[in-house]
Amino acid sequence: HYKTFDVLLQGFRSFMKDIVDRQGYLVINKDDAHLRHLSEEFPKSQIVTYGIETPAYVMAKDLQARPDGMAFTVLVDGHVKGDIELKVHGRHNVLNALSVVAMGIREGFTFESVRAGLLQFLGTKRRMQLIGEKKGIRVFDDYGHHPTEIRVTLDGAKQSQQCRIICVFQPHRYTRTRDLLDQFPLSFNSADIVVITEIYSAYEKRIEGLSAQQIVDKMKAAGKERVMFVANKSEVVHKLLPMLQSGDMVITMGAGDIYTVGKELLTLLKSRARQA
């Protein structure tokens, strides 16, 4: 949509300027170099910052990845404010929570009320959404389709779960696959087994010579052994079943219709359990 990264940055700059011009304030992730740079264009009095690595007004330390979510200690203006627990996983969700803390404090909420609110947050639909569990196998679905989204989601799952992670990924759009072809192979390092299906067109015209097989080839060339290309989405479940064992976490990922694979897998697992 934005065509180039510079145009994307200009979109952020325009958004930020509009907020400042209307006497609002910016909640800035200081761990992001681009946002740090853009924020220098605006008055410090209209900026509240948060981060994990970079010094900021609101910070998190002592991050713990637990089976049921994340836990960390919050510092405000350099002073320990208290601990926060989340029911969602991943470092990215810690950053999301810090933005809520930063805005909550700016708006005059107590730290205790913000902490209580965050504890009640159970995630959003199609973001590491638990579809179901059968025979010790948990099936999740996630909308992630950009390399960064995929990586942080799988990294978060790996850090918090003591189990094998099987990722079933469906690339979304031919143009995105083409433009980010070199980034996708590096996004699945935290998955033990990766199954990739053919590209979901999203109404785009097919690009001659482009296939999701190229992602698999690049992953194998980089040393990833347990990765396979299953062009036809309808065949994924039958390819997947012989590999699964109790305790596994299966994550279907993509913005297309890959979620149907998770539902089909769960249905088949339940059917086999009844037969047994």
Side-chain angles (χ1 to χ4, degrees), residues 14-74:
S14 298
F15 176 70
M16 294 161 76
K17 184 178 184 302
D18 182 55
I19 290 172
V20 170
D21 287 348
R22 290 187 287 125
Q23 302 307 307
Y25 60 92
L26 307 173
V27 184
I28 299 291
N29 174 9
K30 285 198 74 176
D31 287 354
D32 187 289
H34 301 292
L35 288 178
R36 283 203 310 271
H37 179 70
L38 286 174
S39 68
E40 293 172 358
E41 302 176 18
F42 303 99
K44 290 184 178 180
S45 60
Q46 288 175 267
I47 295 174
V48 56
T49 61
Y50 66 93
I52 298 174
E53 301 294 340
T54 309
Y57 182 66
V58 176
M59 297 193 68
K61 71 172 186 176
D62 300 332
L63 275 64
Q64 299 176 48
R66 300 175 175 176
D68 60 344
M70 301 294 294
F72 54 96
T73 299
V74 173

Side-chain angles (χ1 to χ4, degrees), residues 185-257:
L186 305 175
S187 302
F188 299 92
N189 291 339
S190 289
D192 297 284
I193 300 173
V194 182
V195 179
I196 296 182
T197 71
E198 195 50 277
I199 302 164
Y200 184 86
S201 70
Y203 305 107
E204 285 188 339
K205 290 184 178 180
R206 184 174 183 177
I207 296 176
E208 193 65 33
L210 181 68
S211 168
Q213 174 73 63
Q214 291 166 264
I215 299 176
V216 173
D217 292 343
K218 286 178 177 290
M219 290 174 69
K220 288 183 175 180
K224 189 75 172 179
E225 297 180 358
R226 305 204 69 179
V227 54
M228 69 170 68
F229 176 61
V230 182
N232 193 332
K233 176 172 62 69
S234 64
E235 297 177 5
V236 170
V237 169
H238 297 287
K239 295 279 187 181
L240 200 58
L241 273 173
M243 308 179 197
L244 298 181
Q245 59 193 40
S246 181
D248 285 348
M249 171 188 282
V250 179
I251 307 172
T252 57
M253 299 191 81
D257 59 0

Side-chain angles (χ1 to χ4, degrees), residues 40-274:
E40 293 172 358
E41 302 176 18
F42 303 99
K44 290 184 178 180
S45 60
Q46 288 175 267
I47 295 174
V48 56
T49 61
Y50 66 93
I52 298 174
E53 301 294 340
T54 309
Y57 182 66
V58 176
M59 297 193 68
K61 71 172 186 176
D62 300 332
L63 275 64
Q64 299 176 48
R66 300 175 175 176
D68 60 344
M70 301 294 294
F72 54 96
T73 299
V74 173
L75 287 78
V76 177
D77 199 18
H79 303 289
V80 173
K81 198 71 174 178
D83 296 332
I84 282 181
E85 296 180 7
L86 302 176
K87 297 296 185 184
V88 289
H89 299 93
R91 186 186 183 89
H92 59 299
N93 276 316
V94 172
L95 284 168
N96 289 341
L98 289 178
S99 73
V100 174
V101 174
M103 187 170 67
I105 290 174
R106 178 78 177 222
E107 291 295 318
F109 289 92
T110 65
F111 177 77
E112 288 70 24
S113 66
V114 174
R115 174 169 54 192
L118 287 169
L119 186 60
Q120 294 178 47
F121 179 66
L122 302 178
T124 57
K125 186 176 182 181
R126 296 217 67 203
R127 286 299 188 191
M128 278 302 287
Q129 179 185 5
L130 178 62
I131 304 302
E133 179 178 354
K134 200 66 187 177
K135 300 181 73 173
I137 299 168
R138 291 173 294 163
V139 180
F140 290 81
D141 179 57
D142 191 87
Y143 189 77
H145 52 280
H146 183 280
T148 305
E149 293 177 309
I150 297 165
R151 177 177 52 77
V152 297
T153 299
L154 293 177
D155 286 354
K158 192 67 174 179
Q159 290 163 7
S160 60
Q161 306 295 316
Q162 302 298 317
C163 66
R164 292 198 313 170
I165 296 174
I166 295 92
C167 180
V168 182
F169 177 61
Q170 179 189 55
H172 187 259
R173 293 187 181 276
Y174 293 108
T175 52
R176 179 180 288 114
T177 306
R178 176 197 64 198
D179 295 343
L180 302 177
L181 189 59
D182 290 333
Q183 295 184 37
F184 277 113
L186 305 175
S187 302
F188 299 92
N189 291 339
S190 289
D192 297 284
I193 300 173
V194 182
V195 179
I196 296 182
T197 71
E198 195 50 277
I199 302 164
Y200 184 86
S201 70
Y203 305 107
E204 285 188 339
K205 290 184 178 180
R206 184 174 183 177
I207 296 176
E208 193 65 33
L210 181 68
S211 168
Q213 174 73 63
Q214 291 166 264
I215 299 176
V216 173
D217 292 343
K218 286 178 177 290
M219 290 174 69
K220 288 183 175 180
K224 189 75 172 179
E225 297 180 358
R226 305 204 69 179
V227 54
M228 69 170 68
F229 176 61
V230 182
N232 193 332
K233 176 172 62 69
S234 64
E235 297 177 5
V236 170
V237 169
H238 297 287
K239 295 279 187 181
L240 200 58
L241 273 173
M243 308 179 197
L244 298 181
Q245 59 193 40
S246 181
D248 285 348
M249 171 188 282
V250 179
I251 307 172
T252 57
M253 299 191 81
D257 59 0
I258 195 64
Y259 62 89
T260 61
V261 170
K263 291 182 177 180
E264 182 185 352
L265 174 62
L266 196 60
T267 298
L268 197 53
L269 287 172
K270 289 179 178 178
S271 174
R272 292 193 173 187
R274 283 195 297 269

